[in-house]
Amino acid sequence: MSATLLDGKAFAAGIRAKVATHVAALVAQGLQPGLAVVLVGEDPASQVYVRNKGIATKEVGMNSYEHKLPADVSAEALYALIDKLNADPAVHGILVQFPVPPHLSEVEIVARIDPAKDVDGLSVINAGLLASGQRAMVSCTPLGCLMLLRDTLGDLSGLDAVVIGRSNLVGKPMAQLLLGESCTVTIAHSRTRNLAEVVRRADIVVAAVGRPRMVPGDWIKPGATLIDVGINRIPAPEKGEGKTRLVGDFDFDSAVQVAGAITPVPGGVGPLTIACLLANTVTACCRANGLAEPEGLTV
Ligand code: NDP
């Protein structure tokens, strides 16, 4: 048996197309959604992420506002900018690119952002709303994973789901979302005993750990759906000296033989994250203006 490959690129393109359609309808009403991205310092990887987010934002017809601050910016100056963006009606989503230099607190930065504009869904307000089953801004990666799972499996009610990883960014919101779908959810982490046994009973396994190929095929229940969030860079001598390649948290070659469906790495979950950032920005814009939420772009 060989699992169906879940094409994250194609699925993300579908989300972006839906976002673009909603944006066009909003623009026709004189309302253009806007996303502000704040970059502190000159970390090369962060510069690339911010540039890509800006391009993706403009591609779907939204306004993109980039704010670059020096690495030694004071917390007060950064908060003053966030306050300004919070008060700006043209800005519907605010994202501060992490990591920030060590003199700044990520927790405090997130807390400063208006929860209604927290399109990364990282604030304690949004985490609390999600946990209590209320309307929240949901962290982009788990939101994308849930959309993909719904698309693949339809009704998730009653399925056994195991989420490996309990971070605030991925694991916990993923588990909350699956609970919201009436799955029976287990959250595994580094202290979990008999992880193989835990994984073996799952119809859905979401791995968000960051350990290359740690979940082998013989842990997988035949036919299970596997969502691989992990992104791990490993040496790839077959590509030449010093070359590397990306792998996920599942051992793809053995898992693909047993699973019913699996997201590859790269090309699985990765593309969903920016697509859901755009989706969250449109959702935030609609909520801010008392309009109906875009269908299929939120939970
Ligand atoms: P964190 O490091 O914050 O969390 C990792 C989690 O894995 C922790 O809860 C940890 O448990 C758990 N863990 C570590 N070792 C084991 C183990 N041996 N067995 C079981 N659980 C273990 O990572 P993130 O959640 O931020 O990210 C996870 C992965 O997803 C990374 O590879 C990251 O790069 C990737 N990622 C990908 C995104 C995408 O767009 N595709 C977006 C975000 C992340 P404990 O809490 O006990 O320490």
Side-chain angles (χ1 to χ4, degrees), residues 118-163:
D118 167 31
V119 279
D120 254 347
L122 289 177
S123 67
V124 290
I125 303 281
N126 279 312
L129 289 170
L130 178 64
S132 56
Q134 297 183 59
R135 202 178 70 167
M137 293 305 309
V138 180
S139 180
C140 303
T141 302
L143 178 60
C145 293
L146 183 72
M147 287 182 185
L148 185 60
L149 280 167
R150 279 176 172 174
D151 187 67
T152 307
L153 295 171
D155 183 11
L156 308 182
S157 171
L159 295 179
D160 272 313
V162 170
V163 179

Short mmCIF file of all heavy atoms in Angstrom, two decimals, residues 118-163:
data_model
loop_
_atom_site.label_atom_id
_atom_site.label_comp_id
_atom_site.label_asym_id
_atom_site.label_seq_id
_atom_site.Cartn_x
_atom_site.Cartn_y
_atom_site.Cartn_z
N ASP A 118 -4.29 40.12 15.84
CA ASP A 118 -3.24 39.13 16.11
C ASP A 118 -3.40 37.96 15.13
O ASP A 118 -3.86 36.88 15.50
CB ASP A 118 -3.35 38.69 17.57
CG ASP A 118 -2.53 37.46 17.90
OD1 ASP A 118 -1.47 37.27 17.28
OD2 ASP A 118 -2.97 36.69 18.78
N VAL A 119 -3.03 38.20 13.87
CA VAL A 119 -3.31 37.21 12.82
C VAL A 119 -2.43 35.96 12.94
O VAL A 119 -2.65 34.98 12.23
CB VAL A 119 -3.16 37.83 11.41
CG1 VAL A 119 -4.41 38.61 11.03
CG2 VAL A 119 -1.92 38.71 11.30
N ASP A 120 -1.45 35.98 13.83
CA ASP A 120 -0.67 34.77 14.12
C ASP A 120 -1.35 33.94 15.21
O ASP A 120 -0.91 32.82 15.49
CB ASP A 120 0.74 35.17 14.62
CG ASP A 120 1.79 34.92 13.56
OD1 ASP A 120 1.48 34.23 12.57
OD2 ASP A 120 2.92 35.41 13.73
N GLY A 121 -2.37 34.51 15.84
CA GLY A 121 -3.12 33.78 16.87
C GLY A 121 -2.29 33.40 18.08
O GLY A 121 -2.55 32.38 18.73
N LEU A 122 -1.30 34.21 18.41
CA LEU A 122 -0.36 33.82 19.46
C LEU A 122 -0.72 34.37 20.84
O LEU A 122 -0.15 33.94 21.85
CB LEU A 122 1.06 34.31 19.09
CG LEU A 122 1.72 33.56 17.94
CD1 LEU A 122 3.08 34.19 17.62
CD2 LEU A 122 1.90 32.09 18.28
N SER A 123 -1.62 35.35 20.90
CA SER A 123 -1.87 36.00 22.19
C SER A 123 -2.61 35.07 23.14
O SER A 123 -3.31 34.14 22.71
CB SER A 123 -2.68 37.28 21.98
OG SER A 123 -3.98 36.94 21.54
N VAL A 124 -2.47 35.34 24.44
CA VAL A 124 -3.18 34.50 25.42
C VAL A 124 -4.69 34.66 25.25
O VAL A 124 -5.45 33.73 25.53
CB VAL A 124 -2.76 34.81 26.87
CG1 VAL A 124 -1.34 34.36 27.13
CG2 VAL A 124 -2.92 36.27 27.22
N ILE A 125 -5.12 35.82 24.79
CA ILE A 125 -6.56 36.03 24.55
C ILE A 125 -7.04 35.05 23.48
O ILE A 125 -8.03 34.33 23.66
CB ILE A 125 -6.85 37.48 24.09
CG1 ILE A 125 -6.34 38.51 25.10
CG2 ILE A 125 -8.34 37.67 23.76
CD1 ILE A 125 -7.20 38.72 26.29
N ASN A 126 -6.33 35.02 22.36
CA ASN A 126 -6.76 34.12 21.28
C ASN A 126 -6.61 32.64 21.68
O ASN A 126 -7.46 31.82 21.32
CB ASN A 126 -6.02 34.45 19.99
CG ASN A 126 -6.65 35.64 19.29
OD1 ASN A 126 -7.87 35.68 19.12
ND2 ASN A 126 -5.85 36.63 18.92
N ALA A 127 -5.54 32.32 22.41
CA ALA A 127 -5.38 30.93 22.88
C ALA A 127 -6.55 30.57 23.79
O ALA A 127 -7.11 29.46 23.70
CB ALA A 127 -4.06 30.76 23.62
N GLY A 128 -6.95 31.51 24.66
CA GLY A 128 -8.06 31.26 25.59
C GLY A 128 -9.39 31.12 24.87
O GLY A 128 -10.20 30.26 25.20
N LEU A 129 -9.60 32.00 23.88
CA LEU A 129 -10.85 31.92 23.10
C LEU A 129 -10.94 30.57 22.40
O LEU A 129 -11.98 29.91 22.42
CB LEU A 129 -10.90 33.07 22.08
CG LEU A 129 -11.13 34.47 22.65
CD1 LEU A 129 -10.92 35.53 21.56
CD2 LEU A 129 -12.54 34.60 23.24
N LEU A 130 -9.82 30.15 21.79
CA LEU A 130 -9.81 28.86 21.08
C LEU A 130 -10.09 27.72 22.07
O LEU A 130 -10.91 26.84 21.81
CB LEU A 130 -8.46 28.66 20.37
CG LEU A 130 -8.28 27.34 19.63
CD1 LEU A 130 -9.26 27.21 18.47
CD2 LEU A 130 -6.84 27.21 19.09
N ALA A 131 -9.41 27.78 23.22
CA ALA A 131 -9.55 26.69 24.21
C ALA A 131 -10.96 26.62 24.77
O ALA A 131 -11.43 25.54 25.13
CB ALA A 131 -8.55 26.89 25.35
N SER A 132 -11.65 27.78 24.80
CA SER A 132 -13.01 27.73 25.34
C SER A 132 -14.06 27.64 24.24
O SER A 132 -15.25 27.85 24.48
CB SER A 132 -13.26 28.95 26.24
OG SER A 132 -13.01 30.13 25.53
N GLY A 133 -13.61 27.32 23.04
CA GLY A 133 -14.54 27.06 21.94
C GLY A 133 -15.19 28.32 21.38
O GLY A 133 -16.24 28.25 20.76
N GLN A 134 -14.55 29.47 21.61
CA GLN A 134 -15.11 30.72 21.09
C GLN A 134 -14.36 31.17 19.84
O GLN A 134 -13.27 30.68 19.54
CB GLN A 134 -15.05 31.80 22.17
CG GLN A 134 -15.87 31.46 23.38
CD GLN A 134 -15.85 32.57 24.41
OE1 GLN A 134 -16.23 33.69 24.12
NE2 GLN A 134 -15.37 32.27 25.59
N ARG A 135 -14.93 32.17 19.18
CA ARG A 135 -14.35 32.68 17.94
C ARG A 135 -12.99 33.33 18.23
O ARG A 135 -12.92 34.28 18.99
CB ARG A 135 -15.31 33.71 17.36
CG ARG A 135 -15.18 33.96 15.92
CD ARG A 135 -16.22 34.96 15.48
NE ARG A 135 -15.93 36.29 15.98
CZ ARG A 135 -16.52 37.39 15.55
NH1 ARG A 135 -17.46 37.32 14.64
NH2 ARG A 135 -16.19 38.57 16.02
N ALA A 136 -11.94 32.80 17.61
CA ALA A 136 -10.58 33.29 17.89
C ALA A 136 -9.85 33.59 16.59
O ALA A 136 -10.35 33.27 15.51
CB ALA A 136 -9.81 32.20 18.65
N MET A 137 -8.70 34.23 16.69
CA MET A 137 -7.75 34.19 15.58
C MET A 137 -6.88 32.97 15.86
O MET A 137 -6.29 32.86 16.93
CB MET A 137 -6.85 35.44 15.55
CG MET A 137 -7.53 36.77 15.24
SD MET A 137 -8.49 36.87 13.71
CE MET A 137 -7.35 36.28 12.51
N VAL A 138 -6.79 32.05 14.88
CA VAL A 138 -6.12 30.77 15.13
C VAL A 138 -4.75 30.76 14.46
O VAL A 138 -4.60 31.16 13.30
CB VAL A 138 -6.98 29.61 14.58
CG1 VAL A 138 -6.29 28.28 14.83
CG2 VAL A 138 -8.35 29.61 15.23
N SER A 139 -3.77 30.29 15.20
CA SER A 139 -2.39 30.16 14.70
C SER A 139 -2.38 29.53 13.29
O SER A 139 -3.08 28.55 13.03
CB SER A 139 -1.63 29.28 15.71
OG SER A 139 -0.31 29.11 15.30
N CYS A 140 -1.61 30.14 12.40
CA CYS A 140 -1.74 29.84 10.96
C CYS A 140 -1.42 28.38 10.59
O CYS A 140 -2.16 27.77 9.81
CB CYS A 140 -0.81 30.76 10.17
SG CYS A 140 -1.14 32.50 10.48
N THR A 141 -0.35 27.82 11.13
CA THR A 141 0.02 26.45 10.72
C THR A 141 -1.04 25.43 11.14
O THR A 141 -1.50 24.65 10.30
CB THR A 141 1.41 26.09 11.28
OG1 THR A 141 2.35 27.06 10.79
CG2 THR A 141 1.85 24.70 10.84
N PRO A 142 -1.48 25.41 12.41
CA PRO A 142 -2.54 24.46 12.75
C PRO A 142 -3.84 24.71 11.99
O PRO A 142 -4.52 23.75 11.61
CB PRO A 142 -2.75 24.65 14.26
CG PRO A 142 -1.72 25.57 14.73
CD PRO A 142 -0.94 26.11 13.59
N LEU A 143 -4.16 25.97 11.73
CA LEU A 143 -5.37 26.27 10.95
C LEU A 143 -5.27 25.61 9.57
O LEU A 143 -6.21 24.96 9.10
CB LEU A 143 -5.55 27.79 10.82
CG LEU A 143 -6.74 28.27 9.99
CD1 LEU A 143 -8.06 27.77 10.56
CD2 LEU A 143 -6.75 29.80 9.90
N GLY A 144 -4.12 25.75 8.93
CA GLY A 144 -3.91 25.14 7.61
C GLY A 144 -4.00 23.62 7.69
O GLY A 144 -4.59 22.98 6.81
N CYS A 145 -3.43 23.04 8.74
CA CYS A 145 -3.48 21.57 8.90
C CYS A 145 -4.93 21.12 9.05
O CYS A 145 -5.33 20.10 8.47
CB CYS A 145 -2.68 21.14 10.13
SG CYS A 145 -0.91 21.41 9.97
N LEU A 146 -5.72 21.86 9.81
CA LEU A 146 -7.12 21.47 10.00
C LEU A 146 -7.89 21.56 8.68
O LEU A 146 -8.66 20.67 8.32
CB LEU A 146 -7.81 22.33 11.06
CG LEU A 146 -9.24 21.85 11.30
CD1 LEU A 146 -9.25 20.52 12.04
CD2 LEU A 146 -10.07 22.87 12.04
N MET A 147 -7.65 22.64 7.94
CA MET A 147 -8.34 22.78 6.64
C MET A 147 -8.00 21.59 5.74
O MET A 147 -8.87 21.03 5.07
CB MET A 147 -7.91 24.07 5.95
CG MET A 147 -8.48 25.33 6.55
SD MET A 147 -7.88 26.73 5.55
CE MET A 147 -8.51 28.10 6.49
N LEU A 148 -6.73 21.21 5.75
CA LEU A 148 -6.29 20.09 4.90
C LEU A 148 -6.92 18.78 5.38
O LEU A 148 -7.35 17.95 4.56
CB LEU A 148 -4.76 20.01 4.92
CG LEU A 148 -4.10 18.99 4.01
CD1 LEU A 148 -4.45 19.24 2.54
CD2 LEU A 148 -2.58 19.01 4.19
N LEU A 149 -6.99 18.60 6.68
CA LEU A 149 -7.60 17.37 7.23
C LEU A 149 -9.08 17.29 6.87
O LEU A 149 -9.58 16.24 6.47
CB LEU A 149 -7.42 17.32 8.75
CG LEU A 149 -6.04 16.84 9.22
CD1 LEU A 149 -5.85 17.14 10.70
CD2 LEU A 149 -5.87 15.34 8.95
N ARG A 150 -9.78 18.42 7.00
CA ARG A 150 -11.21 18.43 6.64
C ARG A 150 -11.39 18.10 5.17
O ARG A 150 -12.30 17.37 4.78
CB ARG A 150 -11.80 19.81 6.89
CG ARG A 150 -12.17 20.10 8.33
CD ARG A 150 -12.64 21.53 8.38
NE ARG A 150 -13.21 21.92 9.66
CZ ARG A 150 -13.57 23.18 9.94
NH1 ARG A 150 -13.41 24.12 9.04
NH2 ARG A 150 -14.07 23.48 11.11
N ASP A 151 -10.51 18.66 4.35
CA ASP A 151 -10.60 18.45 2.90
C ASP A 151 -10.33 16.97 2.56
O ASP A 151 -10.93 16.42 1.65
CB ASP A 151 -9.58 19.35 2.20
CG ASP A 151 -9.72 19.30 0.70
OD1 ASP A 151 -10.75 19.77 0.19
OD2 ASP A 151 -8.80 18.75 0.03
N THR A 152 -9.42 16.35 3.32
CA THR A 152 -9.02 14.98 3.02
C THR A 152 -10.03 13.97 3.57
O THR A 152 -10.36 12.99 2.90
CB THR A 152 -7.64 14.70 3.67
OG1 THR A 152 -6.73 15.71 3.25
CG2 THR A 152 -7.09 13.33 3.27
N LEU A 153 -10.50 14.23 4.80
CA LEU A 153 -11.29 13.22 5.50
C LEU A 153 -12.76 13.56 5.64
O LEU A 153 -13.56 12.71 6.04
CB LEU A 153 -10.70 12.99 6.91
CG LEU A 153 -9.28 12.40 6.95
CD1 LEU A 153 -8.74 12.43 8.37
CD2 LEU A 153 -9.28 10.97 6.42
N GLY A 154 -13.11 14.82 5.37
CA GLY A 154 -14.51 15.22 5.60
C GLY A 154 -14.76 15.35 7.10
O GLY A 154 -14.01 16.02 7.80
N ASP A 155 -15.79 14.64 7.59
CA ASP A 155 -16.14 14.73 9.01
C ASP A 155 -15.07 14.02 9.86
O ASP A 155 -14.78 12.84 9.65
CB ASP A 155 -17.51 14.06 9.19
CG ASP A 155 -18.00 14.15 10.63
OD1 ASP A 155 -17.39 14.90 11.43
OD2 ASP A 155 -18.99 13.46 10.95
N LEU A 156 -14.52 14.74 10.82
CA LEU A 156 -13.46 14.16 11.66
C LEU A 156 -14.00 13.60 12.97
O LEU A 156 -13.26 13.02 13.77
CB LEU A 156 -12.40 15.22 11.99
CG LEU A 156 -11.79 16.00 10.82
CD1 LEU A 156 -10.73 16.98 11.33
CD2 LEU A 156 -11.16 15.05 9.81
N SER A 157 -15.29 13.76 13.17
CA SER A 157 -15.92 13.42 14.44
C SER A 157 -15.65 11.97 14.85
O SER A 157 -15.84 11.05 14.06
CB SER A 157 -17.42 13.67 14.29
OG SER A 157 -18.09 13.18 15.39
N GLY A 158 -15.19 11.80 16.08
CA GLY A 158 -14.99 10.47 16.64
C GLY A 158 -13.66 9.82 16.29
O GLY A 158 -13.33 8.75 16.83
N LEU A 159 -12.88 10.46 15.42
CA LEU A 159 -11.60 9.86 15.05
C LEU A 159 -10.59 10.03 16.19
O LEU A 159 -10.64 11.00 16.94
CB LEU A 159 -11.04 10.50 13.78
CG LEU A 159 -11.87 10.28 12.50
CD1 LEU A 159 -11.23 10.99 11.31
CD2 LEU A 159 -12.00 8.78 12.20
N ASP A 160 -9.68 9.06 16.30
CA ASP A 160 -8.58 9.17 17.27
C ASP A 160 -7.46 10.00 16.66
O ASP A 160 -6.94 9.64 15.59
CB ASP A 160 -8.04 7.78 17.60
CG ASP A 160 -8.79 7.15 18.76
OD1 ASP A 160 -8.99 7.85 19.77
OD2 ASP A 160 -9.19 5.98 18.64
N ALA A 161 -7.10 11.11 17.32
CA ALA A 161 -6.04 11.97 16.79
C ALA A 161 -4.93 12.09 17.82
O ALA A 161 -5.20 12.29 19.01
CB ALA A 161 -6.61 13.36 16.48
N VAL A 162 -3.71 11.94 17.37
CA VAL A 162 -2.55 12.15 18.23
C VAL A 162 -1.75 13.32 17.69
O VAL A 162 -1.40 13.33 16.50
CB VAL A 162 -1.67 10.88 18.32
CG1 VAL A 162 -0.34 11.19 19.01
CG2 VAL A 162 -2.41 9.78 19.07
N VAL A 163 -1.51 14.30 18.54
CA VAL A 163 -0.65 15.43 18.18
C VAL A 163 0.66 15.24 18.93
O VAL A 163 0.65 15.14 20.17
CB VAL A 163 -1.30 16.78 18.57
CG1 VAL A 163 -0.38 17.94 18.20
CG2 VAL A 163 -2.65 16.94 17.91
#
